[in-house]
Amino acid sequence: MLHSSDFQPPWWLSNAHLQTLWPFLFRPRPRLALRRERLELPDGDFLDLDFTLNEAGPVVLVLHGLQGSVRSKYAAGLLHALATHGYRAVLMHFRGCSGEPNRLPHSYHSGETGDPAFVIEFLRNRFPGAPLAAIGFSLGGNALLKLLAEQGAGSPLRTAVAVSVPFLLNEGADKFNRGLSRIYRQYLLGSLIRSVMDKHNKIDLSGKINLELIQGCNDFWVFDHEVTARLNGFKDVHDYYRRSSSRGYLHLIKTPTLILHAEDDPFMRPATVPRNDELSPSVRLELSKHGGHVGFVTGNNPFQMRYWLDERILQHLNDHLR
């Protein structure tokens, strides 16, 4: 069901771009005690997992967004909040995002559900009997929603949360080419291109993608056609966007799921948000007028801002896991 969110930004921080950039620029990164574990995959590749050191409590898997990692402030902040409130939190780095290129040409993408599914099963076996939940941000949220739909009533997760999801990837790619959203496009594409070249230095990609074209790329349509689609078995960019966009899968979700989204998200258009009739009865979509992309910053003191996402996610987990 579609609901209005109770998030309210301070008057001086209501702009979508300020909401998006404030945590990136000014949020302190908490000190985290973490243990890293490398998980070997059946196809010969690997995933790096970062665990908080809690020895008891429900287990919560965190999936970061595009080019994110444990160093992303939204991820580190949530891990800290989860650990402080008695949850065993685990951040899964998508392939190539933990500081080392992955071994295979295959890369992560918005529709990648195999790796999160493998990790969830690994966690279920590692912590038998512990309640399991998952939280996904942006790209990670899209992948999580698609996975929940694929697993249906058989999902091992007791509940899930998805934040600032790019429900329709083609519309997101278009939005990045307009107005101030081009700032984010330039930053994200630059990071993606550097990652591709780092991988090329490890394994030869010259026969698989057009490296010269990629190095000068400034459009997600081009990058996703030349890199994402080619390296991950899609026919073309249209096939990738169609099969990987989570909006068409939401009616299949059986796990109690909370989606948090802002109408002013600069990564997509307001019309990208799913309609009420597209949501399964298990999905609660809370929509706010403001909040930007993975922003949702509130509080009246610029030196003591509150990160509402952490509070709302904890409230939801407490309701479903405690």
Side-chain angles (χ1 to χ4, degrees), residues 4-319:
S4 295
S5 169
D6 64 6
F7 170 74
Q8 294 293 333
W11 65 267
W12 53 273
L13 201 62
S14 61
N15 178 272
H17 299 290
L18 291 178
Q19 277 286 325
T20 302
L21 292 172
W22 182 277
F24 180 78
L25 296 174
F26 302 116
R27 182 175 187 174
R29 184 181 290 108
R31 291 188 175 184
L32 284 171
L34 298 171
R35 174 179 57 82
R36 176 159 293 188
E37 183 171 338
R38 177 155 293 184
L39 189 60
E40 295 292 334
L41 300 175
D43 63 5
D45 217 331
F46 69 91
L47 294 172
D48 284 333
L49 309 179
D50 281 341
F51 292 77
T52 59
L53 304 185
N54 306 55
E55 296 182 357
V59 178
V60 181
L61 174 65
V62 179
L63 303 175
H64 61 76
L66 183 64
Q67 291 301 96
S69 73
V70 74
R71 291 190 55 77
S72 301
K73 292 180 180 179
Y74 63 85
L78 180 61
L79 289 176
H80 182 266
L82 290 169
T84 301
H85 288 80
Y87 290 96
R88 289 180 283 191
V90 186
L91 182 129
M92 185 197 96
H93 288 94
F94 283 97
R95 300 191 191 205
C97 291
S98 62
E100 178 181 340
N102 63 303
R103 299 171 188 150
L104 302 178
H106 176 73
S107 64
Y108 77 101
H109 57 83
S110 294
E112 171 55 66
T113 58
D115 288 348
F118 188 84
V119 171
I120 289 169
E121 190 62 25
F122 166 79
L123 294 174
R124 182 163 70 164
N125 293 328
R126 171 68 65 85
F127 305 105
L132 282 174
I135 300 162
F137 292 93
S138 194
L139 174 148
N142 188 85
L144 176 58
L145 293 176
K146 185 169 177 285
L147 174 60
L148 291 169
E150 291 170 353
Q151 294 183 328
S155 173
L157 298 176
R158 186 172 295 184
T159 191
V161 183
V163 179
S164 298
V165 175
F167 300 103
L168 294 174
L169 300 176
N170 60 318
E171 293 194 2
D174 284 340
K175 185 67 166 66
F176 275 124
N177 290 332
R178 299 173 185 160
L180 290 177
S181 295
R182 288 175 290 186
I183 298 171
Y184 310 110
R185 179 195 67 186
Q186 207 68 19
Y187 173 80
L188 291 169
L189 274 177
S191 179
L192 284 166
I193 292 166
R194 287 191 295 273
S195 293
V196 169
M197 299 312 297
D198 286 344
K199 181 187 285 192
H200 175 62
N201 291 331
K202 185 174 182 178
I203 56 175
D204 186 9
L205 297 176
S206 57
K208 298 181 179 296
I209 59 177
N210 186 331
L211 291 165
E212 184 176 350
L213 176 62
I214 293 307
Q215 290 182 73
C217 177
N218 64 355
D219 191 324
F220 269 101
W221 282 93
V222 175
F223 182 90
D224 284 332
H225 181 76
E226 295 294 333
V227 178
T228 311
R230 292 185 188 277
L231 295 184
N232 296 287
F234 296 99
K235 180 181 177 181
D236 54 26
V237 66
H238 303 285
D239 183 44
Y240 165 51
Y241 286 166
R242 179 181 60 82
R243 289 167 55 189
S244 298
S245 295
S246 62
R247 181 165 163 175
Y249 296 94
L250 299 177
H251 67 287
L252 299 173
I253 294 174
K254 303 298 183 184
T255 302
T257 300
L258 173 66
I259 302 176
L260 303 173
H261 197 80
E263 290 181 4
D264 66 355
D265 190 320
F267 285 29
M268 59 205 84
R269 299 187 301 119
T272 306
V273 179
R275 302 184 308 271
N276 201 47
D277 62 0
E278 295 176 286
L279 304 175
S280 105
S282 299
V283 174
R284 178 184 176 93
L285 171 55
E286 292 185 359
L287 189 62
S288 62
K289 292 186 179 297
H290 307 284
H293 188 79
V294 193
F296 299 94
V297 186
T298 189
N300 295 318
N301 185 343
F303 300 101
Q304 292 182 330
M305 301 304 293
R306 287 172 41 221
Y307 295 93
W308 178 87
L309 277 178
D310 295 353
E311 299 172 4
R312 182 65 188 95
I313 289 170
L314 283 168
Q315 181 187 52
H316 178 82
L317 293 179
N318 289 337
D319 289 343

